[in-house]
Amino acid sequence: MAHLVEVQHERGACGGQTFHSLLTASLPPRRDSTEAPKPKSSPEQPAGQGRMRAGTQLRVLGPEDDLAGMFLQIFPLSPDPRWQSSSPRPVALALQQALGQELARVVQGNPEVPGITVRVLQALATLLSSPHGGALVMSMHRSHFLACPLLRQLCQYQRCVPQDTGFSSLFLKVLLQMLQWLDSPGVEGGPLRSQLRMLASQASAGRRLSDVRGGLLRLAEALAFRQDLEAVSSTVRAVIATLRSGEQCSVEPELISKVLQGLIEVRSPHLEELLTALFSATADAASPFPACKPVVVVSSLLLQEEEPLAGGKPGADGGSLEAVRLGPSSGLLVDWLEMLDPEVVSSCPDLQHRLLFSRRKGKGQAQVPSFRPYLLTLFTHQSSWPTLHQCIRVLLGKSREQRFDPSASLDFLWACIHVPRIWQGRDQRTPQKRREELVLRVQGPELISLVELILAEAETRSQDGDAAACSLIQARLPLLLSCCRGDDESVRKVTEHLSGCIQQWGDSVLGRRCRDLLLQLYLQRPELRVPVPEVLLHSEGAASSSVCKLDGLIHRFITLLADTSDSRASENRGADASMACRKLAVAHPLLLLRHLPMIAALLHGRTHLNFQEFRQQNHLSCFLHVLGLLELLQPHVFRSEHQGALWDCLLSFIRLLLNYRKSSRHLATFINKFVQFIHKYITYNAPAAISFLQKHADPLHDLSFDNSDLVMLKSLLAGLSLPSRDDRTDRGLDEEGEEESSAGSLPLVSVSLFTPLTAAEMAPYMKRLSRGQTVEDLLEALNDIDEMSRRRPKVLGCFSTNLQRLMCSAEECCRNLAFSLALRSIQNSPSIAADFLPTFMYCLGSQDFEMVQTALRNLPEYTLLCQEHAAVLLHRAFLVGMYGQMDPSAQISEALRTLHMEAVM
């Protein structure tokens, strides 16, 4: 071996080739398969170590492959069975001797260039970076008695040449790569891993920090290769010391974010100390980055997202996904964000808006970061109004990001209105009649954006069912109404937008959410008279929705309608309540249908009296009023969602007819209306109507048998071909089986039970009214029409024009009768009330004293029937008192009491 070393010195010009020859000459030769077996080794020779055959030459490798091949011979990945008797120890000893000789020359100050040690380290790094790096490390782990001396020699060389930063960095990288393989869960501990950890710690601590950036790079490298916590801690302390020394440096925020994220993952105890060193001197000249960059770093860390855990399982600490990622560090970062930017969004608005309002991965409330409510609280309490308004413009602007979480956005908008008055600098003693302050200053286009946020939030809860989504919409409705500021035009824009969305999306999830929001808006603001789509009348949510603004008033109307006190005042209140309910049935059928179960319940417990008591206590009037309301509510009342309450009402009607069938002559009007209503029910919803009639066929047949003059009822029963009770008994039909199966198959004879008056029949009356020359002729025609309209009030619609003309007549008797007939026509069909408004306004403004008096006498009834124009009517009546010769205060007060059903009990 000494002779070979001398040869190496003589051929220094080609040191690589000489060193290769030295090593290859020292390698054990390959034994031929025909060679005789070798004798057993001597006691001095290690077991398994073969002897080198003279004259054996190995393949000459290139300069880059020599050392790599030698490593593979020392640490074979998969040893050849033919080489079982050979030993890598001679090669390892030759390599150690060469490294030791070069180290001696380096210590003496005469290093050889290029050095063998450098090329050995490069060859090892190349092998570790190859696909077989893991197998090589495992082989070195098994042959640790050969690997550890080589690594110690490389470490000694690194200590002797500290100025060679390239060698130091590469050596640390090699150590960390080997540690990465040996730290795997399936690898048992051993001397090599302990040696590597010690050398890595020494190499990391021995590297001198030239600046902060270099230290952070080293720290990021150590964290990337999962260096042990002791080495990471030493590097962190070195970086902190360099930062505190006041050296000027420039560090990109991305590098700091990477380092901080790594420290969070390993739960380093030096995280807070490093943050303090990085951010405390932000305003100083020696700060590692500009003033706004710390906020970027902290916000970016808080915005970090992680893939969901496998199988959707919770984190190791049982918390949410965010808690697993950041842990206690989230609170530290939030505290620093509050310290660096008290207004939360003033430094880098785009990034911080995403931090406050971004939509997290997945769905549900569990994905909301735990620190978001606290940040929103800081934002609303510590920001100035310009900053808040700027954020509102971002959330409700046309170019808003769809990634914003609708729940967080709506919570912020709600908080801007309802935060305590103290932080706003306002006086807490607000006047009793103060006007609501327009805090958000939401404009028309921004209202549409607010509506879309509410719909988006409800859509995210659709998987929980329609009830949960509707409840969420109800909770957000006060915010929408507050932003509308009571402006009718703003509400109209919202309703038009929702109506368009309903037509566009149909019965999809979004279409149902639009319908729910429009329904809730209508229930809270029915007085706006906005055009309500027909689709709302089909909505099943109207009956079970939140409280409507008019619910209390409607309850009072229905209660007064069912009041049967034996007094003239009670009868008048019942008549007024009937007019009010009839107006509601035409103008707001949806609101009255919500209370149909209450109406049905109030009909119970009345038919047990004898007929005389029944009439004297006005129970018959109550039944007539309810039946009239049902007539106005058709066809909406026939829908399936109202079937239970409707059947309850019809059952009360049948009980009435059955109990008082002996007095049917007094019930002729009620029976005719009831049969007509049943006929309309069959026309619109035949299966439901026939099913009801089959279940209650016996009372109808009994009533028809006892009263042969009820032609309309007999025609209905004959047209429906309902089996009689005797027939059903003879046939032995099963009430639950056969009847239900044939409910939709009974023949329905098309008979016209009620033929309206033709134009020819109306012509004589029209001619008499238009050509009447004397007062007697007009009164005679009006009386005939009055008598005819008592039985059939619908005929008054044909004389609407003549009645309006006669309402302005100079003859008091004609004028009074025309007013009476006009009110009867409006009571029968409240939808035509507005047609008489010009005539009524003309009468109130007339110069004829008696004509004004007539109009004022009818003011309360007409105001109740024309509620949508009540303000105009009462204003004109007030002007009559201001500029006329009469006092209309009594009539105005009575009109107001009638509107609210507050007449004296």
Side-chain angles (χ1 to χ4, degrees):
M1 181 64 68
H3 172 69
L4 292 177
V5 174
E6 294 176 359
V7 174
Q8 177 189 12
H9 286 287
E10 293 175 358
R11 301 179 61 185
C14 50
Q17 184 69 22
T18 302
F19 182 65
H20 171 264
S21 302
L22 165 66
L23 296 178
T24 54
S26 304
L27 292 178
R30 178 179 300 178
R31 181 166 56 87
D32 297 333
S33 59
T34 58
E35 184 181 357
K38 294 287 183 180
K40 295 183 179 180
S41 58
S42 59
E44 293 80 3
Q45 185 180 9
Q49 181 175 348
R51 295 182 178 272
M52 181 176 60
R53 295 181 59 189
T56 302
Q57 297 293 333
L58 295 179
R59 180 174 60 89
V60 179
L61 303 177
E64 296 181 356
D65 296 335
D66 292 343
L67 300 178
M70 184 185 61
F71 266 107
L72 295 178
Q73 293 183 35
I74 300 175
F75 307 105
L77 306 182
S78 56
D80 194 328
R82 297 174 299 176
W83 289 26
Q84 292 179 356
S85 60
S86 62
S87 172
R89 184 178 293 275
V91 183
L93 292 177
L95 180 59
Q96 294 177 22
Q97 186 175 9
L99 292 176
Q101 291 174 357
E102 184 176 29
L103 180 60
R105 290 192 297 272
V106 170
V107 173
Q108 296 174 4
N110 185 23
E112 182 180 359
V113 180
I116 299 172
T117 309
V118 174
R119 291 190 293 110
V120 169
L121 182 62
Q122 292 174 350
L124 180 58
T126 303
L127 289 174
L128 291 176
S129 301
S130 68
H132 305 289
L136 177 63
V137 175
M138 292 299 103
S139 179
M140 297 175 70
H141 178 60
R142 290 189 296 269
S143 303
H144 57 84
F145 55 89
L146 299 178
C148 288
L150 291 176
L151 293 175
R152 281 196 296 267
Q153 285 184 300
L154 294 176
C155 182
Q156 291 295 332
Y157 181 85
Q158 186 259 343
R159 291 180 180 179
C160 293
V161 288
Q163 70 279 2
D164 191 353
T165 57
F167 183 89
S168 300
S169 299
L170 184 60
F171 180 59
L172 181 59
K173 180 179 180 181
V174 166
L175 296 176
L176 296 177
Q177 283 181 323
M178 295 177 68
L179 272 175
Q180 186 176 3
W181 286 105
L182 294 178
D183 285 338
S184 301
V187 180
E188 297 181 359
L192 181 59
R193 184 163 64 179
S194 301
Q195 182 76 28
L196 286 173
R197 288 182 176 178
M198 182 184 67
L199 295 178
S201 178
Q202 294 175 357
S204 176
R207 294 173 62 187
R208 184 174 55 88
L209 289 181
S210 58
D211 57 2
V212 175
R213 187 178 184 278
L216 292 175
L217 286 173
R218 285 173 48 187
L219 184 57
E221 186 181 68
L223 292 169
F225 290 106
R226 298 185 180 181
Q227 191 175 350
D228 60 317
L229 189 58
E230 182 181 355
V232 171
S233 299
S234 62
T235 308
V236 172
R237 287 193 294 268
V239 172
I240 293 174
T242 306
L243 283 170
R244 291 175 176 174
S245 65
E247 294 185 8
Q248 295 187 4
C249 56
S250 177
V251 182
E252 55 272 23
E254 294 78 10
L255 176 59
I256 295 182
S257 298
K258 183 178 180 181
V259 170
L260 294 178
Q261 185 176 0
L263 293 176
I264 291 173
E265 291 177 357
V266 300
R267 305 297 177 106
S268 173
H270 302 285
L271 175 63
E272 184 172 2
E273 187 178 1
L274 179 60
L275 284 173
T276 304
L278 284 171
F279 298 156
S280 60
T282 301
D284 300 340
S287 174
F289 33 58
C292 64
K293 297 304 181 182
V295 179
V296 174
V297 172
V298 175
S299 301
S300 300
L301 287 174
L302 291 173
L303 271 174
Q304 290 295 324
E305 293 183 356
E306 193 174 68
E307 293 297 328
L309 296 177
K313 297 180 180 179
D317 58 353
S320 63
L321 185 61
E322 180 274 330
V324 174
R325 183 176 64 253
L326 293 180
S329 303
S330 62
L332 176 63
L333 296 175
V334 168
D335 290 342
W336 270 106
L337 180 61
E338 179 185 2
M339 185 181 302
L340 295 170
D341 186 3
E343 286 195 332
V344 182
V345 299
S346 59
S347 297
C348 45
D350 295 338
L351 182 63
Q352 291 171 304
H353 284 154
R354 285 167 44 205
L355 176 62
L356 290 176
F357 305 108
S358 63
R359 191 194 300 265
R360 308 293 291 182
K361 290 184 178 180
K363 295 182 179 181
Q365 298 296 325
Q367 297 297 329
V368 176
S370 59
F371 53 81
R372 175 172 289 177
Y374 179 70
L375 286 181
L376 286 173
T377 303
L378 289 178
F379 179 45
T380 52
H381 283 76
Q382 297 183 181
S383 299
S384 61
W385 275 113
T387 304
L388 292 176
H389 283 299
Q390 182 182 5
C391 184
I392 294 172
R393 301 287 86 78
V394 171
L395 294 177
L396 300 181
K398 293 183 179 180
S399 59
R400 70 184 187 282
E401 294 189 33
Q402 298 298 328
R403 293 179 297 173
F404 284 169
D405 183 12
S407 297
S409 303
L410 293 171
D411 289 341
F412 163 70
L413 295 175
W414 179 260
C416 286
I417 301 177
H418 296 86
V419 288
R421 290 287 180 178
I422 299 177
W423 73 269
Q424 298 183 31
R426 305 294 204 276
D427 187 2
Q428 293 185 5
R429 296 182 180 179
T430 54
Q432 184 178 3
K433 296 183 178 181
R434 68 176 179 88
R435 293 185 178 182
E436 184 179 0
E437 188 177 2
L438 309 180
V439 178
L440 299 185
R441 303 176 187 172
V442 177
Q443 305 300 323
E446 295 172 340
L447 273 177
I448 305 302
S449 300
L450 179 60
V451 170
E452 292 177 355
L453 283 176
I454 296 175
L455 295 176
E457 183 186 33
E459 189 177 5
T460 59
R461 295 291 299 275
S462 296
Q463 69 274 7
D464 298 334
D466 292 343
C470 186
S471 176
L472 197 59
I473 288 177
Q474 294 176 14
R476 298 300 185 185
L477 189 62
L479 174 62
L480 178 60
L481 293 175
S482 177
C483 293
C484 290
R485 309 182 302 273
D487 182 20
D488 296 352
E489 186 63 27
S490 298
V491 178
R492 189 170 291 107
K493 288 181 180 179
V494 173
T495 56
E496 291 175 356
H497 175 74
L498 290 175
S499 301
C501 291
I502 292 174
Q503 296 177 1
Q504 177 182 358
W505 297 105
D507 199 34
S508 62
V509 175
L510 184 57
R512 293 199 302 270
R513 299 293 83 80
C514 293
R515 186 168 63 245
D516 292 340
L517 179 56
L518 183 57
L519 175 63
Q520 297 300 324
L521 185 62
Y522 171 68
L523 292 177
Q524 296 300 320
R525 300 296 297 272
E527 73 277 5
L528 294 179
R529 303 286 171 183
V530 295
V532 180
E534 184 70 17
V535 68
L536 289 189
L537 295 172
H538 305 169
S539 176
E540 298 181 3
S544 58
S545 296
S546 59
V547 177
C548 173
K549 183 178 181 180
L550 296 183
D551 278 345
L553 188 61
I554 296 175
H555 278 205
R556 182 170 179 80
F557 288 165
I558 296 175
T559 304
L560 292 175
L561 185 69
D563 186 15
T564 57
S565 300
D566 189 10
S567 64
R568 183 66 179 175
S570 175
E571 185 177 352
N572 292 336
R573 287 196 302 271
D576 292 340
S578 177
M579 285 191 296
C581 290
R582 292 179 69 87
K583 180 64 178 180
L584 281 172
V586 174
H588 302 287
L590 193 64
L591 303 185
L592 196 59
L593 284 171
R594 283 163 48 90
H595 305 279
L596 188 59
M598 176 183 177
I599 297 175
L602 290 175
L603 294 178
H604 295 175
R606 298 174 185 267
T607 57
H608 65 284
L609 304 172
N610 60 54
F611 188 72
Q612 184 178 2
E613 294 175 341
F614 185 78
R615 290 188 61 185
Q616 288 179 351
Q617 296 180 13
N618 296 323
H619 293 298
L620 181 59
S621 300
C622 176
F623 276 76
L624 286 171
H625 289 325
V626 172
L627 184 56
L629 290 179
L630 294 180
E631 290 176 343
L632 292 177
L633 289 173
Q634 59 186 0
H636 313 302
V637 73
F638 299 141
R639 301 192 182 277
S640 58
E641 57 265 24
H642 307 297
Q643 180 174 296
L646 176 62
W647 282 18
D648 195 1
C649 292
L650 295 180
L651 184 59
S652 297
F653 296 158
I654 291 178
R655 288 172 180 169
L656 167 66
L657 298 176
L658 185 63
N659 291 344
Y660 305 121
R661 60 180 180 270
K662 301 298 182 180
S663 305
S664 59
R665 65 182 182 276
H666 300 288
L667 301 175
T669 302
F670 181 83
I671 294 175
N672 291 336
K673 289 186 176 183
F674 174 73
V675 175
Q676 183 180 8
F677 182 78
I678 293 295
H679 179 75
K680 294 290 183 63
Y681 191 15
I682 295 174
T683 304
Y684 185 83
N685 192 351
I690 294 175
S691 177
F692 175 81
L693 292 175
Q694 281 185 333
K695 292 180 179 179
H696 306 285
D698 293 346
L700 295 177
H701 278 287
D702 292 341
L703 182 63
S704 176
F705 180 78
D706 294 340
N707 299 274
S708 58
D709 56 336
L710 298 178
V711 180
M712 301 177 67
L713 180 59
K714 292 180 179 294
S715 300
L716 177 63
L717 295 177
L720 292 173
S721 299
L722 288 173
S724 64
R725 177 174 56 187
D726 297 337
D727 294 338
R728 290 162 53 215
T729 305
D730 296 340
R731 296 179 185 177
L733 296 178
D734 185 11
E735 294 182 0
E736 297 297 329
E738 184 67 24
E739 290 182 3
E740 293 183 1
S741 63
S742 61
S745 60
L746 291 177
L748 177 60
V749 179
S750 178
V751 268
S752 178
L753 301 180
F754 308 97
T755 56
L757 295 177
T758 62
E761 294 173 327
M762 292 290 100
Y765 297 97
M766 302 285 292
K767 185 176 181 181
R768 291 168 59 188
L769 288 178
S770 59
R771 295 185 178 181
Q773 300 296 326
T774 63
V775 178
E776 289 77 9
D777 295 338
L778 291 175
L779 283 176
E780 183 180 1
L782 289 174
N783 286 325
D784 292 341
I785 295 174
D786 181 25
E787 186 66 24
M788 179 177 54
S789 64
R790 292 181 185 276
R791 300 186 304 272
R792 309 178 71 173
K794 290 185 178 180
V795 301
L796 292 175
C798 302
F799 307 103
S800 177
T801 304
N802 300 94
L803 292 178
Q804 293 182 44
R805 177 175 57 84
L806 293 176
M807 287 170 65
C808 303
S809 173
E811 297 295 334
E812 183 178 3
C813 53
C814 293
R815 185 173 63 249
N816 291 336
L817 189 53
F819 264 92
S820 177
L821 293 175
L823 288 177
R824 182 182 301 170
S825 177
I826 298 173
Q827 289 174 10
N828 180 70
S829 180
S831 59
I832 65 173
D835 297 340
F836 290 84
L837 181 63
T839 303
F840 209 94
M841 297 291 288
Y842 174 79
C843 293
L844 286 176
S846 174
Q847 299 297 324
D848 188 346
F849 180 83
E850 294 182 354
M851 187 181 300
V852 177
Q853 286 282 11
T854 305
L856 287 176
R857 281 196 301 270
N858 294 275
L859 179 65
E861 291 79 4
Y862 184 71
T863 303
L864 181 62
L865 293 170
C866 195
Q867 297 177 27
E868 62 270 27
H869 302 290
V872 178
L873 286 167
L874 296 178
H875 179 70
R876 177 58 65 90
F878 180 76
L879 293 179
V880 170
M882 290 289 294
Y883 302 104
Q885 301 296 324
M886 60 191 71
D887 182 15
S889 59
Q891 290 82 2
I892 294 176
S893 299
E894 180 65 22
L896 291 174
R897 285 195 297 268
T898 304
L899 281 175
H900 297 86
M901 292 292 128
E902 293 176 355
V904 180
M905 300 298 292

